[in-house]
Amino acid sequence: MKVKDVPQDDEFLQPDGDVLLRDRTYALDDDGKYREIPSAGWAPKNEAIKFSWSYKSEEAQEIRKEVIAGKYSPIMYHMIRLLMTPRILADYTGLSKRKINKLCKPKHFAFIKAEDLSHIADAMNISVEELTSID
Amino acid sequence: MEINFEHRHAAHCENGVVRNLLNFYGIKLSEPMVLGLGSGIFFSHMPFYRLHGMALTSFRYFPGSIFTRVTRALGIEVQWHKFKDPDKAMAKLDEVLAQGIPVGLRVGVYHLSYFPKEYRMHFNAHNLCVIGKEGDEYIVSDPIGMNKNRLSAENLKKVRFAQGTSPPEGRMYYIKSTEHYKPLTADMLYKATLKTCSGMLGIPFNMFGAKGIAYLAKRMRKWERLYGERGAAMNLAQVIRMLEEIGTGGAGFRFMYAAFLQEASEFLNKPEWNQLSMELTEVGDLWRDFSYHAARFFKKREGIILSYNDIADKLEVISARETEVFRKLENSIKRG
């Protein structure tokens, strides 16, 4: 790759602007020497990232419909939306994987302890109110 | 309290941390040199090892190996710690920091507060350096950021004990002493390069090394049948993310390793390595071409859209080219 071809396709908003996350691309200059050029991003990479997220959000929308239909509890919806799996959630909260799977069903979710609820909300980095609704 | 530590931006997190730590002890190495000396370049595609429910494709060696190999080659003593209890992990970090020693940490990016939302997946092999503490905040030098930043103790504790595939378990590492430090020699470079070549050519399983790229191509031809159209595109997206996103300096370390070969050719006075560097650059360009065409699966643009078979063909060409480059490199050392 040549220095002039280093892409600068910035697309994602950074929560902390001071850090300024950047790629650093190694590219050849006109004399055939390697130079380091900071790069803001590259369109194909950004599209791959956006595609993965849109795939997940579509999956989450499907689950949302089933939550409304009474098949799953809101935990299931948020778990899919936030790229979690029962295994990872179990590791974060200290609950068993079986317990997490159980809480994904409305009839067990109805009797959930406040303590477990706050643990799960904490692991997902959202508030308890968000966790119990599907908006 | 903040340690007087020079923060420098780098392409890859682990190389960057290693280089910045060595720089703190007065050992000046460039980032490509760290990659070359740590034999960091690799390829593997492991369908049985899953990240986000998909096969893991990796363009580098195991996390932590670059630090271990570079320090071992240079005769530097290091210390690693791993913890079960988060509070003990934070207490140990404070204790080492109080002695004025910068500490490298392995963290997960899912809860890392300064990362853009889109980058936060369950990827647990990010490295950063902690260089100070003020009140309840740690001063962090993350090599992929242009500037230093701050992270709350609560957030740091969470990312150090991230969960998912290969959890970091609060791992921390630092340089203990540079008493037996040996400056860079030609022998070290030859040894490290031979190790790289044996990783790329000599592992007798088809999923590792340069032939692993052909194996990925073979799997890719089956994806549509195995996972359906969207599932296949999702797998492809994962490969592109591993290739470009996780700070690889472009094309999965290929450009960075080419930069190393160029630097080494000057150091060793071996012009043929510069030639190999140019060949590896061409391979890197082929990887970029692959990513460009692969991205058309996600965003339908005008022009020809290739099938999985077509892009798998591209990978097979890359596999053959890489084998050739690393074979030449190995021969240039073995046959003098």
Side-chain angles (χ1 to χ4, degrees):
Chain A
M1 190 166 48
K2 294 277 190 294
V3 165
K4 62 176 171 21
D5 299 332
V6 172
Q8 302 289 352
D9 307 329
D10 197 2
E11 263 188 69
F12 302 119
L13 185 70
Q14 300 185 6
D16 186 348
D18 294 341
V19 193
L20 209 64
L21 300 179
R22 283 283 179 268
D23 289 340
R24 200 175 182 86
T25 310
Y26 286 77
L28 288 172
D29 66 6
D30 293 335
D31 305 327
K33 290 268 169 245
Y34 264 99
R35 295 267 174 272
E36 301 175 19
I37 316 286
S39 151
W42 191 36
K45 174 183 101 170
N46 296 343
E47 274 154 26
I49 294 171
K50 277 191 283 184
F51 177 80
S52 331
W53 282 97
S54 72
Y55 182 85
K56 273 288 155 193
S57 74
E58 270 173 39
E59 211 179 315
Q61 286 310 315
E62 291 294 312
I63 297 289
R64 190 168 178 271
K65 279 179 205 153
E66 294 187 5
V67 174
I68 294 168
K71 209 172 156 204
Y72 291 119
S73 74
I75 290 186
M76 184 72 174
Y77 167 66
H78 290 287
M79 192 167 78
I80 300 294
R81 185 174 68 90
L82 296 166
L83 297 183
M84 288 283 190
T85 62
R87 175 81 267 157
I88 295 176
L89 209 48
D91 286 340
Y92 269 115
T93 53
L95 302 170
S96 70
K97 193 175 140 192
R98 184 164 168 265
K99 178 107 186 185
I100 300 283
N101 280 331
K102 242 169 109 176
L103 292 176
C104 287
K105 300 204 178 82
K107 69 172 178 187
H108 298 289
F109 182 70
F111 301 103
I112 190 170
K113 284 186 214 150
E115 192 190 333
D116 291 349
L117 203 57
S118 74
H119 277 315
I120 293 172
D122 198 34
M124 288 181 175
N125 222 356
I126 54 179
S127 67
V128 174
E129 289 78 46
E130 270 182 277
L131 181 63
T132 46
S133 75
I134 49 166
D135 299 325
Chain B
M1 186 235 10
E2 184 180 343
I3 300 165
N4 183 18
F5 183 89
E6 192 195 347
H7 172 77
R8 283 161 75 196
H9 182 238
H12 183 239
C13 55
E14 189 174 344
N15 296 338
V17 166
V18 174
R19 185 198 57 190
N20 290 351
L21 280 179
L22 289 176
N23 185 40
F24 178 76
Y25 290 94
I27 300 163
K28 309 257 183 245
L29 289 180
S30 71
E31 192 191 354
M33 196 51 105
V34 168
L35 180 80
L37 201 57
S39 314
I41 195 171
F42 192 54
F43 182 88
S44 65
H45 177 73
M46 294 181 276
F48 56 86
Y49 199 88
R50 305 239 145 192
L51 181 71
H52 284 179
M54 282 169 289
L56 179 74
T57 311
S58 172
F59 293 84
R60 58 129 175 215
Y61 221 74
F62 295 114
S65 64
I66 296 177
F67 181 66
T68 313
R69 287 172 173 180
V70 170
T71 49
R72 201 173 282 165
L74 296 173
I76 295 166
E77 280 178 56
V78 300
Q79 181 70 53
W80 279 85
H81 289 293
K82 195 173 111 175
F83 302 91
K84 282 224 163 64
D85 181 0
D87 293 324
K88 274 189 192 153
M90 295 312 276
K92 186 74 191 172
L93 174 64
D94 290 347
E95 187 194 317
V96 178
L97 270 182
Q99 295 167 26
I101 301 172
V103 184
L105 296 181
R106 187 182 303 165
V107 299
V109 299
Y110 187 79
H111 285 296
L112 209 52
S113 60
Y114 57 87
F115 262 50
K117 186 172 108 280
E118 289 82 358
Y119 278 45
R120 293 203 205 165
M121 51 182 205
H122 294 284
F123 175 75
N124 289 332
H126 185 60
N127 288 276
L128 49 80
C129 217
V130 177
I131 54 172
K133 188 179 182 185
E134 255 170 35
D136 208 24
E137 278 187 329
Y138 286 90
I139 301 162
V140 169
S141 147
D142 189 328
I144 68 163
M146 298 293 268
N147 302 311
K148 288 183 278 196
N149 63 302
R150 280 154 189 270
L151 208 56
S152 69
E154 195 193 346
N155 195 229
L156 192 66
K157 197 178 185 175
K158 211 164 186 176
V159 294
R160 286 184 75 189
F161 284 86
Q163 302 293 342
T165 312
S166 64
E169 298 176 305
R171 275 187 183 79
M172 57 185 258
Y173 49 90
Y174 52 88
I175 293 177
K176 223 161 69 174
S177 97
T178 51
E179 205 180 317
H180 305 290
Y181 164 65
K182 295 169 282 191
L184 192 67
T185 61
D187 263 0
M188 286 177 195
L189 287 182
Y190 285 141
K191 213 175 149 189
T193 310
L194 277 179
K195 201 168 207 168
T196 310
C197 292
S198 90
M200 287 303 281
L201 303 168
I203 300 177
F205 293 102
N206 59 0
M207 50 190 87
F208 303 107
K211 60 191 175 311
I213 303 166
Y215 175 71
L216 170 63
K218 197 176 128 199
R219 294 282 306 172
M220 201 173 267
R221 293 180 203 277
K222 292 186 201 160
W223 277 353
E224 252 179 330
R225 194 150 40 90
L226 288 175
Y227 309 116
E229 196 190 327
R230 296 218 18 112
M234 193 64 188
N235 272 278
L236 192 59
Q238 172 113 328
V239 173
I240 306 298
R241 290 182 81 168
M242 294 314 280
L243 180 62
E244 292 291 343
E245 179 188 339
I246 323 289
T248 63
F253 300 106
R254 269 59 190 165
F255 291 135
M256 208 197 287
Y257 201 76
F260 159 71
L261 288 178
Q262 190 171 64
E263 205 182 322
S265 89
E266 279 165 25
F267 184 82
L268 303 167
N269 205 6
K270 253 176 150 2
E272 66 263 37
W273 279 28
N274 197 25
Q275 188 55 38
L276 287 173
S277 160
M278 294 303 127
E279 282 181 35
L280 195 59
T281 309
E282 282 168 29
V283 176
D285 288 336
L286 289 175
W287 275 112
R288 296 288 273 198
D289 181 55
F290 162 77
S291 313
Y292 178 77
H293 284 288
R296 294 191 163 188
F297 281 92
F298 320 130
K299 192 177 180 184
K300 300 277 190 287
R301 279 198 231 100
E302 283 161 39
I304 1 147
I305 293 162
L306 302 173
S307 69
Y308 281 92
N309 274 328
D310 292 333
I311 57 166
D313 288 343
K314 282 181 188 295
L315 284 181
E316 273 165 6
V317 174
I318 294 173
S319 173
R321 289 289 300 271
E322 277 197 13
T323 312
E324 195 187 312
V325 171
F326 284 99
R327 185 83 64 207
K328 279 188 195 164
L329 189 62
E330 193 177 45
N331 288 345
S332 77
I333 301 171
K334 282 189 174 165
R335 297 180 188 161

